[in-house]
Amino acid sequence: APFFVVFKISFAEVAIARPPYTPLFNIEDSRLVIDPNFGNYLFLLEDSLYLDSYLTSIRIAAVSTVFALLIGYPMAYGIARAPDPWRNILLMLVVLPFWTSFLLRVYAWIGFLKGNGVVNNALIALGIIDEPLVMLQTDFAVYIGIVYTYLPFMILSLYANLTKLDH
């Protein structure tokens, strides 16, 4: 229902009234009159900011999905092929992060990715880099966050399908 309300509003014009948009449907002479405004959608096509944002979102989603699949499939395959006593333990390890606050789990990545974080300190200690890498507020950090967030869903859905293949 909320989607259809927003969809209806997207065809309305801004109005100084309550609600702050014009009605999409009117009854005139006991007939239903639909008066859509396509100007909002034309504006989306005219401004390159919206097209660039949309294409960037599609790219980030596609790359994140590929990485989640590359990481999740071997894990799901390993869990599906594990002996019964180990299978339950491995599944619990996949589900265990859901018991912690989502915001806390994602926020913890800041400690790993910041300039003096765990990753940079480890790379400097190993002599791989001389100065800290900028990882926060980059596409890399976005990919890490999205893959980390959705990886359990990828693993569990692939696991469910792999176990069905056995039967």
Side-chain angles (χ1 to χ4, degrees), residues 25 36 74 82 90 123-124 126 130 132 135:
F25 305 105
L90 294 171
L123 293 174
I124 290 172
L126 293 171
D130 295 329
M135 291 184 278

Side-chain angles (χ1 to χ4, degrees), residues 50-118:
Y50 295 106
L51 181 61
D52 292 342
S53 298
Y54 180 72
L55 293 175
T56 301
S57 297
I58 296 296
R59 178 180 49 84
I60 289 172
V63 170
S64 299
T65 301
V66 168
F67 279 123
L69 185 61
L70 289 173
I71 297 167
Y73 189 83
M75 293 175 77
Y77 186 82
I79 294 170
R81 298 295 178 255
D84 281 336
W86 282 100
R87 188 178 302 160
N88 292 333
I89 293 169
L90 294 171
L91 282 173
M92 190 172 95
L93 290 174
V94 171
V95 174
L96 196 62
F98 288 122
W99 295 355
T100 308
S101 167
F102 171 78
L103 185 60
L104 185 65
R105 288 185 289 129
V106 172
Y107 193 71
W109 275 101
I110 294 173
F112 285 101
L113 300 177
K114 65 184 178 180
N116 63 346
V118 176

Side-chain angles (χ1 to χ4, degrees), residues 60-77 143-158:
I60 289 172
V63 170
S64 299
T65 301
V66 168
F67 279 123
L69 185 61
L70 289 173
I71 297 167
Y73 189 83
M75 293 175 77
Y77 186 82
Y143 293 133
I144 292 279
I146 292 174
V147 171
Y148 173 75
T149 301
Y150 290 107
L151 187 60
F153 297 108
M154 179 70 81
I155 293 170
L156 292 174
S157 60
L158 288 170

Side-chain angles (χ1 to χ4, degrees), residues 8 22-28 31-36:
K8 175 189 158 281
T22 59
L24 183 60
F25 305 105
N26 287 320
I27 298 178
E28 296 176 4
R31 291 182 326 168
L32 179 65
V33 177
I34 302 173
D35 187 24

